[in-house]
Amino acid sequence: MPETSATPAYPVGLRLAGRRVVLVGGGTVAQRRLPALLAAGAEVTLVAPRVTPSVEAMAAGGEITWERRAWREGDLADAWYAIAATDDPTVNAAVTAEAEARRVWCVRADDADEGTAWTPATGRSDGITVAVLTSGVHGAAGRDPRRAAAIRDAIVARLGDGSLAAGAHGPRRAGVALVGGGPGDPDLITVRGRRLLAQADVVVADRLGPRDLLAELPPHVEVIDAAKIPYGRAMAQEAINAVLVEHAKAGRSVVRLKGGDPFVFGRGMEEAQQLAAEGIEVTVVPGISSSISVPGSAGIPVTHRGVAHEFTVVSGHVAPDDPRSLVDWPALARLRGTLVLLMAVENLGAIAATLRAHGRPDDTPVAVVQEGTMATERRVDATLATVADRAAAEGVRPPAVVVIGDVVAVNPRQDDAE
């Protein structure tokens, strides 16, 4: 049948590794198209007298070959695929015509209907590529890239959060994923962490993990409470390790759901070492640490131009005078930057006194953020001299993050410091 703008395209995946691709034009369209071409292994030649800084950096790094000139007839010799993306319709038409003559599939950026190929709205999730094309066939509103992008985004999002279980009928991989759940708000878990949760047979969950996500798990998923309640009942680490080993060796897909990041005061490495010793495959999924996310949620930057050029994260679960302490508190007191204390509520008075005794000024601003990123978040402001009494008077309880330093006084509405 004769081709029209409503004729549907035939979908196909091009294997471009090691094959010559010619891109004519060095503007923002080229900048957007190049990463996917390079990821596919294409040998890209770009023809343009001028390019964007990002494209120039790709050329300087040897990722592409840049012919710094205008397009001329013959540039598509030996090409497998071409993109006409200049701001001159006449040049784009000439590129398309040469592609047609050489039987090279060609995308025309300024007038898609004049090309012989269309670029789909493409997204990827866990080894799956989603490519969406729209057309005006069957009375639709015409080829609409925005509609294609919206459909792509919806599919990729559902694949990412596990609500579209593409792998439900595939083989389950036994092993353990150590997943950092972030500071508590369920929206702050990573896409990969949420996907692994949706695919799990067993979830071993900490109290500080994003608990709301557990309600979304399918009924067959076994949830094991490994909560470590501060200063109270605790499930021994050895018992947690044993549970992980037991279920993984039974062929189950296990997620160890932790708060924050598995390797930031989370005993993630202890669990990884035990699992490795048992010959069990371990996947580590980093999470957003409360050490930076909770201050940010409360409007506190841990660094700020002209105020703090470094920040130090310290566990406060052991008092400064405890012989088990590994922290050099006198050295911390001499630092000018930001101190972020985790698990420090019980020892806050002793920590503040030690910092003051070793030179940190009494009037150093301090903020204590309880249950950061959650609906129950609250912030208590004080100074190093008053924070212990203020926290006690306000009934601050764990989990809480303590921020010490001049960044506490930085207001989002202030002009940037010089």
Side-chain angles (χ1 to χ4, degrees):
M1 67 178 180
E3 185 180 56
T4 70
S5 61
T7 304
Y10 181 79
V12 66
L14 298 181
R15 302 178 65 185
L16 295 175
R19 295 182 168 93
R20 186 169 188 259
V21 171
V22 178
L23 201 164
V24 183
T28 56
V29 173
Q31 184 175 320
R32 292 170 55 192
R33 297 290 177 250
L34 280 169
L37 292 171
L38 295 174
E43 294 184 357
V44 179
T45 296
L46 186 140
V47 181
R50 294 172 302 279
V51 298
T52 68
S54 294
V55 172
E56 185 172 2
M58 293 181 195
E63 295 181 276
I64 65 173
T65 299
W66 177 21
E67 298 286 344
R68 194 178 307 201
R69 56 174 175 78
W71 175 84
R72 57 180 177 237
E73 187 75 26
D75 278 342
L76 300 190
D78 300 321
W80 291 72
Y81 184 62
I83 300 176
T86 77
D87 57 5
D88 186 339
T90 302
V91 173
N92 291 340
V95 173
T96 304
E98 181 182 346
E100 182 82 18
R102 292 181 179 273
R103 297 187 178 182
V104 175
W105 295 109
C106 180
V107 171
R108 182 168 168 178
D110 63 332
D111 189 345
D113 288 336
E114 293 299 317
T116 54
W118 291 339
T119 301
T122 305
R124 292 175 178 82
S125 178
D126 196 26
I128 297 172
T129 298
V130 177
V132 181
L133 290 170
T134 57
S135 69
V137 71
H138 300 317
R143 186 169 181 273
D144 186 352
R146 291 173 298 181
R147 181 172 178 237
I151 294 170
R152 172 208 59 196
D153 292 343
I155 296 172
V156 171
R158 291 192 63 196
L159 286 171
D161 65 22
S163 59
L164 181 59
H169 303 292
R172 290 292 183 92
R173 186 170 64 183
V176 177
L178 304 178
V179 174
D185 184 336
D187 285 344
L188 295 179
I189 190 173
T190 63
V191 170
R192 189 179 187 194
R194 193 156 190 164
R195 181 173 62 244
L196 288 173
L197 266 180
Q199 297 171 350
D201 299 309
V202 179
V203 176
V204 182
D206 275 353
R207 183 180 74 93
L208 296 181
R211 294 169 293 171
D212 292 352
L213 294 178
L214 300 180
E216 300 178 4
L217 298 175
H220 72 274
V221 177
E222 181 178 358
V223 178
I224 299 173
D225 179 10
K228 290 185 175 67
I229 300 175
Y231 324 125
R233 178 183 63 83
M235 182 177 180
Q237 186 63 50
E238 292 76 11
I240 296 175
N241 293 349
V243 165
L244 297 175
V245 170
E246 174 191 348
H247 286 284
K249 285 192 170 182
R252 301 183 181 101
S253 178
V254 183
V255 167
R256 174 72 169 105
L257 182 62
K258 294 172 167 291
D261 182 275
F263 287 173
V264 179
F265 306 135
R267 293 195 170 185
M269 182 54 73
E270 295 178 40
E271 294 170 358
Q273 289 172 333
Q274 180 65 45
L275 293 164
E278 297 284 347
I280 295 170
E281 182 177 354
V282 180
T283 301
V284 178
V285 181
I288 301 174
S289 173
S290 61
S291 62
I292 54 174
S293 57
V294 168
S297 174
I300 302 170
V302 293
T303 63
H304 188 69
R305 182 160 57 94
V307 178
H309 290 176
E310 85 274 357
F311 70 97
T312 305
V313 182
V314 183
S315 171
H317 76 290
V318 176
D321 59 353
D322 191 306
R324 297 172 298 165
S325 176
L326 302 176
V327 179
D328 188 343
W329 290 103
L332 289 181
R334 293 191 295 271
L335 294 177
R336 298 179 59 188
T338 307
L339 296 182
V340 180
L341 309 179
L342 306 183
M343 301 178 288
V345 172
E346 184 180 45
N347 295 315
L348 187 53
I351 291 171
T354 300
L355 292 173
R356 293 166 59 203
H358 290 281
R360 196 81 174 199
D362 288 0
D363 61 355
T364 301
V366 181
V368 183
V369 185
Q370 178 181 311
E371 298 177 351
T373 77
M374 304 295 287
T376 52
E377 174 183 306
R378 64 175 178 140
R379 170 177 168 173
V380 175
D381 284 87
T383 66
L384 202 56
T386 63
V387 66
D389 290 340
R390 284 277 291 143
E394 294 287 340
V396 172
R397 64 183 187 279
V401 174
V402 181
V403 187
I404 302 172
D406 291 338
V407 293
V408 171
V410 175
N411 189 307
R413 288 177 292 276
Q414 291 174 338
D415 293 334
D416 286 345
E418 294 297 331

